[in-house]
């Protein structure tokens, strides 16, 4: 049994994936007992073959590549990876990440010595060296209505400053999905990621469920990495629409029917007026007035790819 299973998803971005793998191997201490599992989430044939060839050239025996014939999204892809793991901890790492130091080992040691640390992430930086927040506050009606800044000013203990460069472990409501490390037994006990969600808010959902069993989210600032933010998921109206579908699903799941209807109406009005000035928002508006159901998700538009 390994101490850690590092699970990485590749989707048409093999260069980032290879750089991520190399940084893990380079920065992790030689005595760390870990495996790396790469899930290819139905990339184009050329990208998968490129990834496969480069992985064969990496000298690391506990490295495995698994191809999925369908893009199952962030949560689904990571749940696929879990099936091939045999470890005490899962580390879910975005492929557009580069380790600055021994992130796996540092977080592992902290979690081994602190049972209340349920899910942890390292300090995150952009490629230009600027801080990229790791801690965040749950997607909730109050956050959507008032925004992060007001919440942090009103109750800094419950809503710690997400843009602060901490020097000691700091509890938050959830840590960024770009790098999350969790005990496999805790992750398994809450059912893992909700695979109804294709993209976005998976981390707020799983951290909320972990919190219910008294396993809390912590930033571990001694561990540091770079995240090429958004590199693996280019911005588009389709992606923005997916974000709103996931947000509304989370609101309905954790806060109930009335809040869901309120925000559905709120977003519909907002994007109606946005569409009058920017026509690119009309597709998002039409999804909202139809209810923004999971049936409108990109997950429902996948094809099964054969090599």
């Amino acid at each position: 049994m390994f101490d850690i299973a590092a699970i990485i998803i590749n989707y048409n971005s093999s260069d980032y994936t290879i750089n991520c793998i190399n940084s893990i191997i380079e920065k992790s201490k030689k005595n760390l007992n870990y495996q790396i599992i790469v899930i290819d989430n139905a990339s184009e044939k050329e990208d998968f073959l490129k990834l496969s060839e480069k992985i064969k050239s990496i000298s690391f025996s506990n490295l495995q590549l698994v191809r999925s014939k369908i893009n199952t999204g962030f949560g689904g892809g990571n749940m696929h990876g879990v099936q091939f793991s045999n470890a005490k901890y899962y580390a879910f790492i975005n492929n557009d990440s580069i380790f600055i130091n021994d992130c796996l080992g540092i977080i592992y040691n902290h979690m081994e010595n602190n049972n209340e640390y349920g899910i942890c992430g390292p300090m995150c930086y952009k490629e230009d060296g600027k801080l990229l927040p790791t801690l965040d506050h749950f997607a909730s009606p109050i956050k959507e209505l008032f925004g992060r800044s007001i919440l942090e000013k009103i109750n800094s203990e419950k809503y710690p400053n997400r843009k602060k460069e901490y020097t000691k472990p700091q509890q938050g409501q959830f840590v960024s999905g770009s790098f999350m490390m969790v005990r496999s037994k805790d992750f398994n006990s809450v059912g893992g990621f909700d695979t109804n969600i294709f993209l976005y808010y998976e981390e707020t959902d799983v951290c909320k469920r972990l919190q219910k069993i008294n396993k809390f989210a912590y930033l571990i600032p001694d561990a540091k990495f770079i995240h090429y933010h958004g590199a693996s998921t280019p911005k588009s109206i389709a992606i923005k629409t997916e974000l709103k579908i996931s947000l509304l699903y989370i609101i309905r799941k954790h806060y109930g029917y009335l809040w869901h209807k309120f925000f559905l109406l709120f977003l519909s009005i907002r994007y109606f007026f946005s569409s009058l000035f920017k026509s690119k928002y009309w597709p998002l508006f039409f999804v909202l007035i139809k209810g923004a159901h999971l049936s409108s998700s990109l997950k429902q538009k996948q094809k099964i790819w054969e090599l």
Side-chain angles (χ1 to χ4, degrees):
M1 185 175 188
F2 296 98
D3 291 327
I4 304 165
I7 300 172
I8 304 168
I9 297 174
N10 180 73
Y11 180 67
N12 292 324
S13 49
S14 58
D15 288 337
Y16 282 102
T17 302
I18 293 299
N19 289 337
C20 179
I21 293 169
N22 285 332
S23 80
I24 294 173
I25 297 170
E26 178 186 346
K27 297 299 182 180
S28 299
K29 290 185 177 178
K30 303 305 178 186
N31 62 349
L32 187 65
N33 182 26
Y34 70 100
Q35 61 180 155
I36 301 175
I37 301 166
V38 179
I39 300 297
D40 181 78
N41 234 350
S43 298
E44 298 291 340
K45 179 179 178 180
E46 292 75 15
D47 190 73
F48 172 73
L49 293 177
K50 180 180 179 182
L51 175 65
S52 181
E53 283 303 309
K54 288 191 174 184
I55 280 181
K56 289 176 183 176
S57 68
I58 295 174
S59 179
F60 184 73
S61 59
N62 300 322
L63 172 59
Q64 182 178 6
L65 172 62
V66 180
R67 177 169 170 80
S68 173
K69 292 184 178 181
I70 187 167
N71 183 350
T72 54
F74 176 85
N78 279 309
M79 291 298 282
H80 193 179
V82 164
Q83 312 305 311
F84 299 91
S85 67
N86 179 29
K88 185 176 181 180
Y89 288 85
Y90 301 139
F92 302 105
I93 305 167
N94 275 21
N95 74 325
D96 51 354
S97 301
I98 298 292
F99 283 23
I100 295 174
N101 60 11
D102 180 20
C103 292
L104 294 179
I106 293 169
I107 295 177
Y108 173 81
N109 290 332
H110 274 276
M111 295 190 76
E112 283 289 278
N113 293 312
N114 296 277
N115 193 51
E116 74 275 14
Y117 289 13
I119 185 164
C120 297
M123 188 83 81
C124 184
Y125 298 91
K126 298 178 183 179
E127 55 268 34
D128 60 5
K130 293 181 180 178
L131 182 70
L132 188 60
T134 296
L135 291 175
D136 208 338
H137 322 310
F138 288 138
S140 67
I142 192 170
K143 176 184 168 184
E144 296 304 316
L145 285 172
F146 297 105
R148 295 183 177 96
S149 298
I150 291 177
L151 296 181
E152 290 172 5
K153 290 176 182 177
I154 292 173
N155 189 343
S156 60
E157 184 174 349
K158 184 176 181 180
Y159 303 100
N161 185 350
R162 58 193 291 271
K163 295 183 178 180
K164 179 179 176 179
E165 195 159 2
Y166 292 93
T167 57
K168 296 180 180 179
Q170 174 63 48
Q171 183 179 346
Q173 293 188 340
F174 75 88
V175 291
S176 170
S178 58
F179 193 133
M180 298 181 291
M181 190 158 152
V182 60
R183 291 177 188 84
S184 57
K185 67 175 183 179
D186 294 335
F187 184 81
N188 296 342
S189 72
V190 299
F193 291 115
D194 182 342
T195 55
N196 286 317
I197 305 169
F198 186 67
L199 285 174
Y200 301 111
Y201 296 104
E202 300 92 345
E203 62 266 71
T204 193
D205 174 66
V206 76
C207 288
K208 199 165 184 64
R209 287 183 280 121
L210 284 165
Q211 189 183 79
K212 291 178 181 178
I213 61 170
N214 296 316
K215 298 293 182 177
F216 303 101
Y218 276 84
L219 164 67
I220 308 298
D222 292 347
K224 304 177 189 298
F225 80 114
I226 295 168
H227 183 210
Y228 293 88
H229 191 238
S232 59
T233 311
K235 292 182 180 179
S236 67
I237 288 300
I239 292 298
K240 191 176 187 69
T241 301
E242 195 67 31
L243 187 147
K244 298 306 179 187
I245 290 171
S246 297
L247 172 62
L248 287 163
Y249 174 79
I250 289 298
I251 295 292
R252 177 68 179 88
K253 179 177 179 178
H254 292 290
Y255 299 98
Y257 174 83
L258 292 179
W259 276 119
H260 173 264
K261 290 302 179 186
F262 172 83
F263 277 103
L264 181 59
L265 177 61
F266 170 78
L267 290 171
S268 298
I269 294 171
R270 174 183 171 184
Y271 282 100
F272 171 74
F273 287 104
S274 296
S275 299
L276 295 177
F277 297 97
K278 293 183 178 180
S279 60
K280 66 179 182 178
Y281 288 121
W282 283 118
L284 170 53
F285 168 71
F286 288 126
V287 167
L288 289 167
I289 62 170
K290 289 190 292 184
H293 300 295
L294 290 177
S295 59
S296 298
S297 168
L298 292 171
K299 183 178 181 180
Q300 308 303 324
K301 301 173 184 177
Q302 299 302 313
K303 297 178 181 179
I304 296 178
W305 294 98
E306 298 286 353
L307 286 179

